[in-house]
Amino acid sequence: MGEATPPLPMPRHVAIIMDGNGRWAKSHGLPRFEGHRRGAEAVRRVVADARDLGIEALTLYSFSSENWSRPKQEIGELMGLLKRFIRSDLKDLHAKNVRLRIIGEGHPTDPEVQGLLDEAQALTRANTGVTLTVAFNYGARNEMARAAQALARQVAAGELRAEDITPARFAEALDTAGLPPLDLMIRTSGEQRLSNFLLWQAAYAELVFLPVFWPDFDRSWLERALGEYGRRERRFGGVEAGES
């Protein structure tokens, strides 16, 4: 008998740009909100699948800082969906040992949303299973600017020397401090751009773009992305011995 094929490498940290809710709804002759509602169901599936597959950290792009330019009715519907998701799913996530983290600037106008997000993080803080990080009111350029400002304040206060600001020290000032390095970035809907998501963290991540709208994303699509990741050779800017 031949030797068994070794298992493909598994990423520790996977991030997903959940794109295509509106186009999914349009393709089915449904209102945009129905696309967002079905997208929330896909979130439930992917969290469960990530936990089952042994992924250590899952980061989801739920609402960007640029999304505030959308129609007020759609924003209100999205906020209502977020509230319902937390109220209905928080106990289940906690029971399954999922740790919930929120990155971004928080909610600037709705204290109820901010209170629910804070409650969810506090309840699950000690959990040791998959870390589910939700990027809410998040933009990567803003994140890096806030990190730079925080470090500049430390320098101004004499707590830090400018020459001590290394890439590692800068990463510690980002919202994602404490998470494993980002290994795999997935974007659904067929679009092929990062849209201001985890720009620093994605420096050496593998990028996989899938031709599926987010509401239709399921375990088979996740496994397809994981398989693509496992087949790639990650060099982090280096070369193999003997290569020029």
Side-chain angles (χ1 to χ4, degrees):
M1 296 179 63
E3 293 184 1
T5 302
L8 293 174
M10 176 69 72
R12 296 177 64 200
H13 185 182
V14 176
I16 305 179
I17 301 175
M18 306 178 294
D19 194 20
N21 289 348
R23 280 168 286 169
W24 179 91
K26 184 177 180 180
S27 70
H28 288 78
L30 297 169
R32 286 180 63 86
F33 176 72
E34 184 61 19
H36 294 311
R37 191 186 70 79
R38 297 293 183 91
E41 295 176 2
V43 169
R44 294 185 179 97
R45 291 195 299 268
V46 77
V47 173
D49 292 336
R51 185 172 58 87
D52 292 345
L53 291 167
I55 294 170
E56 187 175 331
L58 176 68
T59 300
L60 304 179
Y61 204 8
S62 70
F63 193 87
S64 77
S65 50
E66 290 82 15
N67 286 158
W68 296 110
S69 62
R70 293 187 177 189
K72 288 185 178 180
Q73 180 180 349
E74 182 175 357
I75 291 174
E77 291 171 343
L78 286 167
M79 294 304 108
L81 188 62
L82 176 62
K83 293 175 187 177
R84 288 193 293 275
F85 179 83
I86 295 175
R87 287 173 178 145
S88 64
D89 288 53
L90 181 55
K91 286 185 178 179
D92 184 59
L93 291 173
H94 183 44
K96 292 178 178 176
N97 201 28
V98 175
R99 181 188 179 197
L100 183 63
R101 283 184 59 172
I102 309 297
I103 61 173
E105 290 195 282
H107 198 292
T109 60
D110 191 333
E112 183 182 4
V113 169
Q114 190 59 55
L116 286 170
L117 296 176
D118 292 343
E119 176 189 347
Q121 291 184 96
L123 178 65
T124 63
R125 184 168 289 124
N127 290 347
T128 57
V130 60
T131 297
L132 170 61
T133 301
V134 177
F136 177 76
N137 193 23
Y138 171 90
R141 289 177 174 177
N142 177 271
E143 175 193 26
M144 289 188 282
R146 287 188 283 109
Q149 290 164 4
L151 293 171
R153 286 192 292 269
Q154 288 183 275
V155 172
E159 300 168 355
L160 185 70
R161 298 182 305 166
E163 54 268 32
D164 291 332
I165 302 176
T166 62
R169 182 65 187 83
F170 187 81
E172 291 173 0
L174 295 172
D175 294 350
T176 51
L179 290 175
L182 182 62
D183 296 311
L184 171 63
M185 172 86 77
I186 301 169
R187 181 170 186 149
T188 60
S189 86
E191 301 289 350
Q192 299 186 19
R193 55 182 177 272
L194 296 183
S195 295
N196 200 22
F197 184 46
L198 300 181
L199 299 182
W200 175 277
Q201 297 85 344
Y204 282 103
E206 297 298 321
L207 309 180
V208 174
F209 302 103
L210 297 174
V212 57
F213 293 140
W214 177 248
D216 287 331
F217 189 87
D218 58 16
R219 184 165 181 148
S220 66
W221 285 103
L222 177 59
E223 290 179 340
R224 175 173 169 175
L226 295 175
E228 177 65 25
Y229 169 87
R231 288 187 290 272
R232 293 183 184 179
E233 183 177 343
R234 308 186 74 201
R235 300 182 183 178
F236 302 97
V239 296
E240 286 187 339
E243 288 189 354
S244 59

